[in-house]
Amino acid sequence: MARVFVSRQLPGAALERLRKAHETTVWSERRPPTYEQLRAHAAEADGLLTMLSDRIDAPLLEAAPRLRAVANYAVGFDNVDLAAAARHGVAVGNTPDVLTEATADLAFALLLAAARRLPEALASARNDWSDWEPTGLLGAEVWGATLGVVGMGRIGRAVARRGEGFGMTVLGSSRGSGSSLEELLARADFVSLHVPLSADTHHLIDADALARMQPTAILINTARGEIVDQAALAAALHERRIAGAALDVTTPEPLSPDDPLWRAPNLVITPHIGSATRSARERMAELAVDNLLAGLDGQPMPNQVSVTREAPAA
Ligand code: NAP
Ligand code: GLV
Ligand code: GLV
């Protein structure tokens, strides 16, 4: 039996399979472990099941001599230092596909919410609804508009399909295929981000990129906060250089209470709930457990994102 640490309680029954196979400790407090608490648990563990909010960096891996496998409960793995994991012979896995449709639905919900000013409309219905007004709460037409999908991977393609269903013209850009980012930004009425966070995509949407967008355009980010230069976004919204934004991801998470974004016009923010459907989260747990069981067994993980090397002989 190996020793396993799971950094949050997970929905569904997947953790039962882990408990049967290994000595499993599940963090049960309401708030997640701090970095120091995580590092202390990692120091004793053969395997970790971690959240996207857990930082698995070189010092943590350095302090975890027994560690062989990390199963991240997310499709994104920017929280894990993959190069350091490879140096330490630690396999790393993620949970793709099972959350694709749920996340695409949320991206589309945000697109519609920003287009039709739903946060303002909900508040108005409760607080100051007096008459049916020909010019009240006018928003953007989605049918016939152009949707720009940045990163035509699993989720990007699922969002593109939704766009087609809503009668939109879809432009997609990935490295080396589809439209150039510049062309997409200039033409799209809605720009939806679906690239992973990496050194290449950090601040991909910066002041220059925002300046290329139309003043009527709306930005949707369900990928990672750091892909957008948030100070530049706040300025563009306050100066009405773009028409709105909808963010499921921010830097940091949660966004600090004094962040200028909170006061920006036509901004929708949700607390990183892209994959938050019961079935997606249960299936993610199954995949993460499958990855961990395989990794601890010395087998390739079903969804492995790391290249493992043998740890150097002591
Ligand atoms: P994926 O299938 O790997 O898709 C990512 C796409 O981005 C690929 O098509 C990739 O294509 C493209 N790409 C990578 N680097 C690029 C660059 N520099 N410029 C343009 N395109 C680039 O991943 P996915 O499953 O769709 O997930 C995407 C991301 O969504 C995850 O990494 C995660 O951060 C985020 N996510 C968020 C939530 C949420 O709760 N909000 C839920 C799930 C996922 P090429 O490599 O061919 O360029
Ligand atoms: C969520 O953000 C994920 O990467 O799964
Ligand atoms: C609006 O409710 C309409 O009937 O046009």
Side-chain angles (χ1 to χ4, degrees), residues 52 73-78 95 99 103 222-224 249 272 275 284:
L52 55 87
Y73 184 66
V75 66
F77 43 85
D78 49 275
T95 63
L99 45 51
T103 306
T222 57
R224 283 291 180 270
V249 288
H272 204 147
S275 66
M284 289 163 66

Side-chain angles (χ1 to χ4, degrees), residues 52 74-78 94-97 99-100 102-104 106 150-157 173-177 181 193-202 204 221-224 227 248-249 253 271-276 281 284:
L52 55 87
V75 66
F77 43 85
D78 49 275
N94 72 341
T95 63
D97 301 314
L99 45 51
T100 293
T103 306
L106 198 267
V150 181
M152 283 287 271
R154 290 171 291 243
I155 299 169
R157 289 195 302 272
S173 90
S174 281
R175 277 177 300 197
S177 65
L181 181 61
L193 306 179
H194 301 288
V195 291
L197 175 62
S198 67
D200 282 352
T201 61
H202 182 265
L204 184 69
N221 188 8
T222 57
R224 283 291 180 270
I227 294 164
D248 186 46
V249 288
E253 292 180 5
H272 204 147
I273 56 166
S275 66
R281 290 281 170 85
M284 289 163 66

Side-chain angles (χ1 to χ4, degrees), residues 29-53:
E29 293 184 24
R30 199 181 64 80
R31 302 297 312 278
T34 63
Y35 175 76
E36 286 69 30
Q37 287 166 328
L38 183 65
R39 188 164 140 157
H41 280 279
E44 309 285 311
D46 302 288
L48 294 177
L49 199 160
T50 52
M51 306 303 115
L52 55 87
S53 44

Side-chain angles (χ1 to χ4, degrees), residues 127-242:
N127 304 323
D128 62 8
W129 184 8
S130 54
D131 307 288
W132 188 89
E133 292 185 75
T135 56
L137 283 165
L138 300 184
E141 188 91 5
V142 169
W143 186 89
T146 297
L147 169 63
V149 176
V150 181
M152 283 287 271
R154 290 171 291 243
I155 299 169
R157 289 195 302 272
V159 169
R161 283 200 309 277
R162 283 161 178 71
E164 284 160 8
F166 274 75
M168 303 179 88
T169 299
V170 179
L171 305 174
S173 90
S174 281
R175 277 177 300 197
S177 65
S179 312
S180 70
L181 181 61
E182 289 72 21
E183 183 195 356
L184 181 151
L185 292 170
R187 288 182 51 199
D189 299 299
F190 298 90
V191 174
S192 191
L193 306 179
H194 301 288
V195 291
L197 175 62
S198 67
D200 282 352
T201 61
H202 182 265
H203 286 193
L204 184 69
I205 304 301
D206 58 7
D208 281 352
L210 291 163
R212 290 178 193 276
M213 289 173 64
Q214 307 187 50
T216 48
I218 288 173
L219 178 71
I220 301 110
N221 188 8
T222 57
R224 283 291 180 270
E226 292 86 345
I227 294 164
V228 175
D229 178 342
Q230 237 167 238
L233 175 63
L237 288 169
H238 280 288
E239 293 160 23
R240 313 242 175 202
R241 284 186 275 111
I242 66 170

Side-chain angles (χ1 to χ4, degrees), residues 31-32 53 230 248-259 262 269-272:
R31 302 297 312 278
S53 44
Q230 237 167 238
D248 186 46
V249 288
T250 59
T251 314
E253 292 180 5
L255 203 55
S256 93
D258 54 6
D259 195 290
W262 289 119
I269 301 185
T270 49
H272 204 147

